[in-house]
Amino acid sequence: MRAAVLGANDGIVSTASLVVGIAAANAGRPELLIAAVAGLVAGAMSMAAGEYVSVSSQADSERADLDREKLEIATDERLEREELRNIYIDRGLDTELAERVAEQLMAHDALGAHARDELGLSETQRARPIQAALASASSFALGALLPVLLVAVAPMDTMIVFVAVSSLVFLGVLGAIAAKAGGASLLTGAVRVTFWGALAMAATAAIGHIFGAVV
Ligand SMILES: [Zn+2]
């Protein structure tokens, strides 16, 4: 949920900023549309690639940890059982109970017990690079779709204001939703993303204005 909102935020901020920058250089609607769509595709691909690489390396290290654990369980089961027992003692079980829990879990699913309790890995939150990449790319694309649509419908003479204000309103709403989901203050959440969005658009508008005058 949080990741999806962040991805959509990225999509809105970067694509709307791109559009505002190019509009500030006096481009026409076709150029703006091409820029917006290209920004959507480029951003979504880059989010997918970045997420894939980062989650893959996380998956690699999880796999290496599991392989090492598997080897240790195979070669020194007693030591591994003691390791589990000590973990349960640290968590508040008395020695005798910890011993029994460790013994039974070792007999039931030794690797699973070590994965959960020693490495902190759980099946539901295993690193899945492809899913992560797709989720990241699609939330970005969904966010970026907003500026694309705005470019298509906004009147040319108020393009910059139209795109900037509508995008900021959306960012504010998304920020408030994210804040609500996280139990934080709605206003703070909304103001924070809106501020950074406005800053990004102001920066590209300035760049577009300068380059539009020079080139
Ligand atoms: Zn272990």
Side-chain angles (χ1 to χ4, degrees), residues 83-156:
E83 196 178 50
L84 272 191
R85 184 199 63 185
N86 293 337
I87 290 170
Y88 300 137
I89 290 174
D90 282 346
R91 288 191 193 162
L93 300 194
D94 62 52
T95 311
E96 199 191 340
L97 182 58
E99 193 111 36
R100 282 179 51 208
V101 171
E103 201 168 316
Q104 292 187 7
L105 286 180
M106 286 292 283
H108 173 66
D109 174 14
L111 188 60
H114 281 264
R116 275 191 317 274
D117 296 334
E118 184 188 351
L119 303 174
L121 302 177
S122 79
E123 197 49 46
T124 50
Q125 35 185 237
R126 280 294 280 286
R128 294 185 175 84
I130 296 282
Q131 281 96 323
L134 285 178
S136 192
S138 48
S139 61
F140 181 97
L142 217 58
L145 202 57
L146 174 79
V148 171
L149 294 176
L150 290 171
V151 169
V153 302
M156 274 317 286

Side-chain angles (χ1 to χ4, degrees), residues 139-197:
S139 61
F140 181 97
L142 217 58
L145 202 57
L146 174 79
V148 171
L149 294 176
L150 290 171
V151 169
V153 302
M156 274 317 286
D157 52 345
T158 52
M159 178 65 78
I160 293 178
V161 177
F162 196 98
V163 170
V165 172
S166 315
S167 299
L168 289 176
V169 168
F170 248 79
L171 281 174
V173 172
L174 272 183
I177 291 174
K180 183 151 174 68
S185 148
L186 295 196
L187 189 66
T188 315
V191 168
R192 213 176 271 155
V193 284
T194 312
F195 169 77
W196 284 101

Side-chain angles (χ1 to χ4, degrees), residues 8-22:
N9 269 349
D10 277 1
I12 296 175
V13 171
S14 74
T15 313
S17 302
L18 194 58
V19 166
V20 165
I22 297 175

